[in-house]
Amino acid sequence: MIRNYIKIALRSLWKDRTFTALNIVGLTAAFGVAFLLCMYAFFELSYDKFHKNNGSIYQLYTNEQTSKGVASSEANPIPFAEALKEEVPGVEEITRYVTGGPLLTYNGNTFRFGTAWADPAFFEIFSFPIAEGDAVTPLSNKFSVVLSKKAATAIFGKEPALGKTISIQMNGEEVPVTVTAILEDIPAASSLNFAALLNFKNLPDGFYANNLDRWDAHNHPVYMKLAPGITPTQFEKATKDFSSVHFADEIKSAMRDGAQPNVDGNYRQIKLLPIADQSFVVSKDGVLSVNKTLQYIVLGIAFLILFIASVNFINMSLAKSAQRLREVGMRKTLGAGKAQLFFQFWGESILVFMLAVALGGILAFLALEPFQTLFNTKASFSSIANPLMILSAFFSVLVITLIAGGYPALLMSRLGTLQGLKGKLEVNGKNSLRNVLMVIQFSIAIILISGTLVLWQQLDFLKNKDLGFNKEQVISFPLNTKQEHSNVLQLLRNELATNPDILSVSASDNILGLGRDGANSTSVLGFDYKNREVSTNMLWVDYDYTETLDIELLKGRNFNRSYAADSLSVLINEAMVKELREENPIGLRFFLADSIQYSVIGVVKDFNFQELDKGVEPITFFMDGNAPMRYAYVKVAPTNLSQTYEAVKKVWNKIEPDTQFLGSFLDENIDRTLTKERTMTTMISSGSILAIILSCIGLFAISLLVVSQRRKEIGIRKVVGASVATITVLLAKDFLKLVGISFVIATPIAWYATSQWLQNYVYRIDLNIWIFVVAGLIALIIAVLTISFRTIQAALKNPVESLKTE
């Protein structure tokens, strides 16, 4: 019997091969894209879940009550971790962690890898697999280093790495460290990435040794493993006395400045962030929160694409079922029961779906590598090859095929045998289910088109926003060198001085945007000013910094080589002027935490030195010839940009032949900070295009059926004088009404969703109705073109051909 069902199903599908092909093409494309999108989303959501104890690993951060509201910080003082473990119950293991990029040297060769420093307990908390060496306490010695396989191969080649000694640049000297373990390459879904891991105590003195007893210098994250039986809420409450003791001065300053306590009456609250949420942390108005919007949007797009393709399948199955009435009548005459009819229709649906799933998997496999490159992801089939996903997919196919095959079978099983043989089916509601599904389908398409238009405009707005500095003509690159930074900078100036396309050279201790080295840091300093706490971002700069970046000077003067006292002078921005609450800050003096008095000599216009989801914060420029300048900035003439870039690269390779030149224009750095927005825009755009294509496939197929069913009516109307235009409008108007209804439903949903998303940005476009009108018009025009092809063809036919069969 089953063999007979399969044979009949194959014959039926072949007989209506046009509709079968449309169904298979639409479903294959939908499943292929859905597989890729689900891989991406589930891979992103799997970050840091490979650790065996991921359910009890947390990053600590602090919510501090200030006069301006709540401010979150992940940075902690050097003595914080050890004191917390000793004084607060619930800490099973704890480690400090900080990243950097010191130069590593072996046999005269210089290397730079992503490097981190951590305490010995690091490997008791995290499950990074160790391939060779000490698997328990590889960082027990201050002068030990753990390398990844890739780093070990790059340094030692095929030589054994364990026990070998390499040197790191520290405090102006080369410090020898011994390789105690080799890591397997770190999993792609890890938020902690490093090629070399050093003991935390081996950090430069300015970072570690000089701050051993300081609770006011916050400079690194802390991770801990929570003890069994202790909940995060219990632990957070238990830290109240700890904060009151060790941060008494900060709490006192906050109370003095008018800060209000939180709901629990605390001015400072230590919080726990699950390690699995670390990759999704965002800062909004200074407060940390977890945001997985992008991942859920991607999953939503995958679901909507599958839904649209399934709607096509259901609609075509319903429409085609009316053409099989005589078959049903004949089979009932020969004794077929309701169950047999049901399984026959359901079997055909399952055959189509199974074929589409298989072809979709092949399509996803073929497109996986380009997809990984386009979205810079390591997602693969392993991301979705889990029992829950497979069970969900099976259940979805079961439900869709039951609707597509079961509903028509249910309708036709109720037919009388004579009614079936006559080929007449009376259904109440005049295709109401089909119309509802088509409205939902086009509503989804219009929402996706609207989202795409808004995303495009917002991304374009951010890319072209005036940031307050010259991003088109300035090349930035890290000063990766064992030499003194000041010497290297002077060599750069000397070598580039003869090039007429080089306008100026400067440097600072931080980067604007995100450079090719992937590094970015923030230094924030708080100090007392007129009996209240003020805070500022800190930036150590070299001479000509504002001139090189075209940052506008509003008042006062710049740093000048003629003034020796400028090492105790500062430039501040407008936001810092507001922070100080001074109308004329020129000449103003204040003391910092090191009790050194600084004088304000100039005010610069506000500029965006952080990511564009943040407003402009206070910043202070310091000038100190002894401060390390980590990044160089070279302003070039607007002509011959590529040639000038190569000239700068050539000079760098002459000065530092052993280290890679990682230069890029500042507009490229800014563009790297918009990766999330660009990914979202590309994915939603792709989803919108596919949604429209799938909707049109369904609309085209339904229009074919409608024209076929109304061919006699078309012939009669032409005989009595109806024009081609009249017949085309007659056939198309019902479908266009559905598109109009979809627009009315979709517009408020799209408006609300996009306006909520835009709230995440300080700088954003203003929504207007025309964005959504354009989205509706796009859907309408595409629908008209899709329907018109077949309706005009039918209207142009000789009426004799339509009537002669009757």
Side-chain angles (χ1 to χ4, degrees):
M1 182 179 291
I2 294 175
R3 182 182 176 187
N4 188 49
Y5 282 150
I6 295 173
K7 188 184 294 184
I8 294 172
L10 289 173
R11 286 175 179 172
S12 176
L13 293 173
W14 179 251
K15 181 181 177 182
D16 294 318
R17 47 189 174 274
T18 300
F19 294 95
T20 302
L22 288 171
N23 268 326
I24 291 174
V25 168
L27 287 169
T28 297
F31 275 113
V33 172
F35 283 149
L36 292 172
L37 293 180
C38 286
M39 284 181 214
Y40 177 88
F42 283 108
F43 172 76
E44 293 289 316
L45 292 170
S46 71
Y47 259 71
D48 296 313
K49 291 183 179 178
F50 64 90
H51 297 295
K52 293 177 183 177
N53 304 308
N54 74 79
S56 58
I57 301 174
Y58 297 88
Q59 181 184 3
L60 292 106
Y61 69 99
T62 301
N63 279 346
E64 183 180 359
Q65 304 298 124
T66 72
S67 58
K68 299 177 182 178
V70 183
S72 299
S73 174
E74 300 168 314
N76 299 281
I78 294 294
F80 174 86
E82 186 177 346
L84 189 73
K85 185 175 183 181
E86 291 178 358
E87 299 175 25
V88 181
V91 181
E92 185 172 336
E93 299 290 349
I94 195 164
T95 181
R96 297 164 292 189
Y97 181 84
V98 69
T99 58
L103 290 176
L104 309 180
T105 305
Y106 178 71
N107 281 352
N109 296 316
T110 302
F111 306 89
R112 183 181 288 274
F113 301 109
T115 304
W117 289 260
D119 289 311
F122 183 85
F123 287 100
E124 296 180 42
I125 298 172
F126 298 103
S127 306
F128 291 106
I130 294 179
E132 303 176 52
D134 188 344
V136 182
T137 55
L139 293 176
S140 57
N141 188 291
K142 176 181 176 180
F143 298 101
S144 58
V145 61
V146 177
L147 298 175
S148 69
K149 272 188 175 180
K150 188 175 180 180
T153 302
I155 296 172
F156 302 105
K158 295 182 180 180
E159 297 178 22
L162 282 179
K164 294 282 180 66
T165 299
I166 61 176
S167 298
I168 59 172
Q169 192 78 10
M170 198 73 62
N171 300 318
E173 301 176 354
E174 290 194 358
V175 179
V177 290
T178 303
V179 179
T180 55
I182 304 296
L183 285 177
E184 296 285 357
D185 288 331
I186 292 175
S190 173
S191 59
L192 303 181
N193 287 288
F194 50 86
L197 187 65
L198 298 157
N199 190 296
F200 195 84
K201 294 179 181 179
N202 213 353
L203 278 159
D205 291 344
F207 192 100
Y208 180 75
N210 296 346
N211 295 309
L212 276 174
D213 299 318
R214 290 187 60 177
W215 284 85
D216 61 340
H218 301 250
N219 55 18
H220 65 278
V222 170
Y223 297 91
M224 63 170 279
K225 181 181 176 185
L226 196 62
I230 305 292
T231 67
T233 303
Q234 289 173 333
F235 179 82
E236 289 171 358
K237 288 181 178 178
T239 63
K240 180 179 179 179
D241 291 340
F242 176 87
S243 295
S244 299
V245 171
H246 293 290
F247 299 101
D249 290 341
E250 286 88 340
I251 293 172
K252 184 179 178 181
S253 295
M255 295 173 67
R256 179 199 64 195
D257 296 341
Q260 298 299 312
N262 64 15
V263 291
D264 297 319
N266 300 328
Y267 287 89
R268 193 178 186 91
Q269 178 64 65
I270 295 173
K271 305 284 288 182
L272 297 183
L273 175 73
I275 186 66
D277 289 338
Q278 181 176 244
S279 297
F280 311 104
V281 169
V282 295
S283 177
K284 187 175 182 181
D285 298 327
V287 181
L288 297 184
S289 62
V290 176
N291 187 338
K292 300 179 182 180
T293 303
L294 173 60
Q295 290 71 32
Y296 291 132
I297 284 176
V298 172
L299 282 177
I301 291 172
F303 170 78
L304 293 177
I305 287 171
L306 282 177
F307 178 81
I308 290 173
S310 300
V311 165
N312 283 348
F313 183 68
I314 292 169
N315 273 340
M316 281 191 262
S317 296
L318 291 173
K320 288 299 294 180
S321 64
Q323 297 186 357
R324 299 180 64 180
L325 295 178
R326 288 187 175 86
E327 176 194 339
V328 173
M330 182 61 71
R331 294 191 66 184
K332 292 191 76 172
T333 301
L334 296 174
K338 292 181 180 180
Q340 290 173 310
L341 289 172
F342 174 79
F343 282 112
Q344 178 63 57
F345 280 86
W346 189 29
E348 292 176 14
S349 301
I350 289 176
L351 275 177
V352 172
F353 253 79
M354 291 299 101
L355 180 60
V357 169
L359 292 175
I362 294 171
L363 178 63
F365 176 78
L366 294 174
L368 182 57
E369 190 172 335
F371 179 83
Q372 290 174 329
T373 303
L374 178 63
F375 294 107
N376 191 27
T377 178
K378 300 291 185 182
S380 64
F381 277 95
S382 61
S383 305
I384 56 174
N386 62 72
L388 179 62
M389 278 295 298
I390 295 170
L391 188 64
S392 300
F394 175 79
F395 179 75
S396 300
V397 169
L398 188 69
V399 170
I400 294 167
T401 53
L402 276 172
I403 295 171
Y407 183 69
L410 183 65
L411 285 179
M412 286 185 264
S413 64
R414 293 176 179 175
L415 282 175
T417 304
L418 185 60
Q419 192 180 8
L421 290 170
K422 288 179 178 180
K424 294 181 178 180
L425 175 64
E426 293 180 6
V427 182
N428 294 328
K430 294 184 179 180
N431 298 317
S432 57
L433 177 60
R434 184 195 74 185
N435 292 343
V436 168
L437 290 174
M438 289 186 71
V439 166
I440 295 173
Q441 190 179 49
F442 270 94
S443 296
I444 292 169
I446 292 170
I447 289 171
L448 289 175
I449 294 171
S450 301
T452 299
L453 295 176
V454 171
L455 281 166
W456 278 350
Q457 289 194 22
Q458 176 65 11
L459 183 59
D460 184 66
F461 174 76
L462 292 176
K463 287 174 68 175
N464 295 303
K465 182 185 181 299
D466 180 7
L467 303 180
F469 60 86
N470 188 335
K471 59 186 179 184
E472 287 81 16
Q473 292 175 241
V474 179
I475 302 170
S476 67
F477 52 93
L479 293 170
N480 295 335
T481 177
K482 292 187 291 182
Q483 304 178 52
E484 286 290 334
H485 288 151
S486 57
N487 294 340
V488 172
L489 195 57
Q490 191 56 48
L491 286 172
L492 275 171
R493 284 193 171 105
N494 295 340
E495 291 286 340
L496 295 171
T498 57
N499 190 328
D501 289 325
I502 304 298
L503 304 182
S504 63
V505 178
S506 188
S508 77
D509 70 338
N510 206 346
I511 189 74
L512 288 171
L514 187 63
R516 286 174 58 193
D517 61 345
N520 189 279
S521 62
T522 301
S523 297
V524 180
L525 175 71
F527 60 94
D528 277 336
Y529 178 73
K530 293 186 177 180
N531 295 319
R532 60 187 178 83
E533 178 84 5
V534 297
S535 63
T536 178
N537 288 271
M538 302 171 64
L539 187 69
W540 298 94
V541 302
D542 193 41
Y543 293 108
D544 307 321
Y545 182 78
T546 58
E547 294 92 332
T548 301
L549 274 77
D550 288 338
I551 297 172
E552 185 179 348
L553 182 70
L554 299 177
K555 294 180 181 179
R557 65 173 178 86
N558 250 310
F559 295 117
N560 193 312
R561 292 175 176 84
S562 303
Y563 294 88
D566 274 2
S567 61
L568 295 177
S569 300
V570 296
L571 293 175
I572 61 176
N573 69 342
E574 295 172 284
M576 185 59 183
V577 174
K578 293 176 183 176
E579 179 81 358
L580 294 170
R581 301 177 190 172
E582 298 284 353
E583 289 186 10
N584 185 15
I586 304 300
L588 180 151
R589 299 176 184 274
F590 53 81
F591 289 90
L592 297 186
D594 52 11
S595 300
I596 298 176
Q597 189 182 56
Y598 289 87
S599 174
V600 177
I601 61 171
V603 176
V604 298
K605 188 175 181 180
D606 281 344
F607 67 102
N608 294 95
F609 58 92
Q610 296 172 306
E611 292 185 358
L612 294 178
D613 57 357
K614 296 180 179 179
V616 178
E617 296 180 356
I619 189 168
T620 302
F621 296 167
F622 294 84
M623 167 63 67
D624 184 349
N626 297 319
M629 298 288 105
R630 296 187 176 89
Y631 292 91
Y633 296 90
V634 179
K635 183 181 178 182
V636 301
T639 55
N640 304 320
L641 291 177
S642 58
Q643 292 93 327
T644 310
Y645 176 88
E646 291 300 322
V648 174
K649 180 179 179 181
K650 185 177 179 180
V651 167
W652 172 259
N653 290 334
K654 179 181 177 181
I655 296 171
E656 274 292 337
D658 296 328
T659 55
Q660 184 183 4
F661 178 71
L662 297 174
S664 59
F665 283 92
L666 288 181
D667 57 354
E668 297 174 291
N669 289 7
I670 300 303
D671 195 53
R672 289 188 191 97
T673 67
L674 301 174
T675 300
K676 181 182 71 174
E677 289 76 12
R678 194 164 51 251
T679 297
M680 188 182 294
T681 301
T682 305
M683 286 192 170
I684 293 183
S685 300
S686 304
S688 301
I689 293 169
L690 185 57
I692 281 292
I693 291 172
L694 292 174
S695 299
C696 289
I697 287 175
L699 192 59
F700 179 71
I702 295 298
S703 67
L704 286 180
L705 288 170
V706 169
V707 168
S708 176
Q709 291 167 356
R710 300 179 69 176
R711 66 184 185 280
K712 179 181 176 182
E713 177 190 345
I714 294 168
I716 294 172
R717 286 181 179 274
K718 288 205 72 175
V719 168
V720 298
S723 65
V724 172
T726 302
I727 293 172
T728 302
V729 171
L730 175 72
L731 295 174
K733 67 179 182 180
D734 290 337
F735 294 113
L736 299 183
K737 284 179 184 176
L738 298 180
V739 176
I741 294 170
S742 301
F743 173 75
V744 172
I745 293 171
T747 298
I749 297 172
W751 185 293
Y752 176 78
T754 52
S755 64
Q756 289 299 305
W757 176 74
L758 287 171
Q759 296 306 310
N760 294 319
Y761 295 91
V762 177
Y763 309 103
R764 53 182 179 265
I765 61 170
D766 294 321
L767 287 180
N768 62 75
I769 190 62
W770 293 110
I771 295 174
F772 305 96
V773 170
V774 169
L777 286 174
I778 291 171
L780 182 65
I781 291 168
I782 294 174
V784 167
L785 293 175
T786 303
I787 298 165
S788 298
F789 174 78
R790 190 67 185 93
T791 53
I792 292 174
Q793 190 180 50
L796 290 171
K797 266 193 173 183
N798 189 329
V800 174
E801 293 180 24
S802 303
L803 298 172
K804 67 181 180 182
T805 57
E806 297 298 325

